[in-house]
Amino acid sequence: MPVGGSMAPMPSDTVPAIPNRLREAFLRWKGGGRQGQEAMSWNRSTWQVTLPEHHDLLKSLPDRLDRTTVAARGAGAADGEAQAEQAFIAAMAWGYGPAGYGAFRTARVLRENPQAPGVLREAAQVLRRDGGATAFAWLREHRLRFLGVAFATKYLYFCNGPDAQPALILDRLVQRWLRRHADCQVRLDWRVGDYHRYLGMAYAWASELDVTPDDVEYLIFSDMLTDEPGASPWAPRQSAVGAVAGPEDDDATAVLEAIDDAAASFAALPDVSPADLEDFERGIRQLRRIVLARAGRPIKALGLVEYRS
């Protein structure tokens, strides 16, 4: 697929009709005052230990990260390699949230790919010049080891400019919503056609609802949380039947937070191998499963505390 020109969204006659589920989510959002996504907590100390060369950047970020703060970093990603690397780190901190392994995985991308700052800068340049679909295709051809579609599209999203068609986040939550409510299968293995199709739908649905494309992505994401309560740290803390959490749920939450602290501490240890980290994460997932089952929370939420991956 050529990178030289902007990729237009799909013609309107090939875009699936806007799902009723999305219309309903939009009406709830509109009726609630169009509230944006809440800011995300993250473990600053773990990131500073894991990425000491970026101590000043990490110190400058607020205790809770929201989309506006991270987008401010992404706005300069096309200007230089250092700015692109900083934008990438901020996007990853937002994307992983309190997950203890986020800093390790981010550092692995940067350290295993010496060319990463240049690739990240040029991806941002392509995005601002030619739009999200073309930038995704370019990044696929210059792929960074250990960087998958979910977090690559987070980075691109935060680098969007004011002119070209934007990149949007495509992760597991969005993927599952599209499959369930739009009868649309998209894969997370760098299929350019799938990403182009997703953007085409989002652009068309945004136009019909008179919102921005990233509003559509946010509505899809937030609506997915009603299907899978507990599937993400962005979800409101509720019981399986939607009631406000009670004392037993508070106890379970405290245990889950302790488990997350353990994950963060392990990831920050020196000389932790990728294999050891994967083994530890597997055990952490099992512990979360046990706690959630004990508390009566839904078990179908993949990963149980699923960061937007």
Side-chain angles (χ1 to χ4, degrees):
M1 182 174 297
V3 174
S6 176
M7 295 174 62
M10 294 186 296
S12 59
D13 58 354
T14 68
V15 175
I18 184 170
N20 288 334
R21 181 80 177 216
L22 183 59
R23 290 188 186 278
E24 293 166 1
F26 167 71
L27 291 174
R28 290 195 304 270
W29 179 63
K30 182 179 178 182
R34 301 185 182 230
Q35 296 296 314
Q37 187 172 354
E38 291 185 3
M40 171 52 57
S41 63
W42 60 293
N43 192 320
R44 185 193 313 275
S45 61
T46 298
W47 285 79
Q48 288 178 326
V49 168
T50 309
L51 289 158
E53 64 274 30
H54 294 285
H55 183 277
D56 290 345
L57 164 68
L58 297 165
K59 182 179 180 181
S60 71
L61 297 175
D63 293 337
R64 298 181 65 86
L65 291 169
D66 59 21
R67 293 194 182 210
T68 300
T69 299
V70 181
R73 290 285 175 180
D79 298 335
E81 293 185 2
Q83 294 94 317
E85 191 171 19
Q86 290 179 2
F88 178 73
I89 292 169
M92 297 304 98
W94 175 87
Y96 282 110
Y101 49 80
F104 174 87
R105 290 185 173 179
T106 301
R108 182 171 60 178
V109 171
L110 296 174
R111 291 167 186 166
E112 294 291 331
N113 299 277
Q115 77 283 18
V119 169
L120 293 170
R121 179 193 183 188
E122 187 150 356
Q125 291 175 332
V126 173
L127 171 63
R128 286 177 166 254
R129 183 180 66 241
D130 299 324
T134 302
F136 181 89
W138 187 92
L139 196 53
R140 176 187 182 277
E141 295 304 315
H142 301 82
R143 203 176 311 173
L144 296 173
R145 192 176 180 216
F146 300 119
L147 181 63
V149 165
F151 282 88
T153 56
K154 288 175 179 61
Y155 170 72
L156 291 176
Y157 166 74
F158 285 114
C159 295
N160 281 324
D163 300 321
Q165 292 168 342
L168 299 176
I169 297 170
L170 176 59
D171 58 20
R172 290 177 186 169
L173 291 173
V174 172
Q175 179 194 46
R176 290 206 293 273
W177 190 97
L178 291 172
R179 183 178 66 246
R180 292 181 188 179
H181 303 300
D183 193 25
C184 176
Q185 299 282 349
V186 294
R187 290 156 291 188
L188 299 179
D189 56 355
W190 290 100
R191 305 295 178 105
V192 173
D194 282 9
Y195 189 68
H196 187 202
R197 184 155 45 96
Y198 160 55
L199 292 185
M201 288 187 295
Y203 297 162
W205 295 343
S207 178
E208 188 169 348
L209 293 173
D210 194 24
V211 297
T212 63
D214 63 314
D215 286 335
V216 168
E217 178 267 313
Y218 172 61
L219 288 171
I220 288 173
F221 158 71
S222 58
D223 186 56
M224 191 63 202
L225 297 181
T226 68
D227 272 5
E228 297 186 359
S232 167
W234 284 283
R237 191 161 58 85
Q238 295 180 329
S239 71
V241 296
V244 176
E248 291 183 1
D249 198 68
D250 286 338
D251 291 342
T253 298
V255 174
L256 290 171
E257 289 175 349
I259 290 172
D260 284 341
D261 287 343
S265 298
F266 184 82
L269 291 174
D271 302 323
V272 174
S273 71
D276 287 342
L277 187 64
E278 292 295 335
D279 287 344
F280 194 84
E281 289 173 11
R282 194 175 300 112
I284 287 293
R285 287 194 294 271
Q286 182 62 21
L287 288 173
R288 290 194 185 107
R289 184 177 291 109
I290 292 169
V291 173
L292 291 173
R294 179 74 171 75
R297 294 193 194 178
I299 300 302
K300 69 176 182 175
L302 298 180
L304 306 161
V305 177
E306 178 168 333
Y307 306 96
R308 296 204 60 185
S309 60

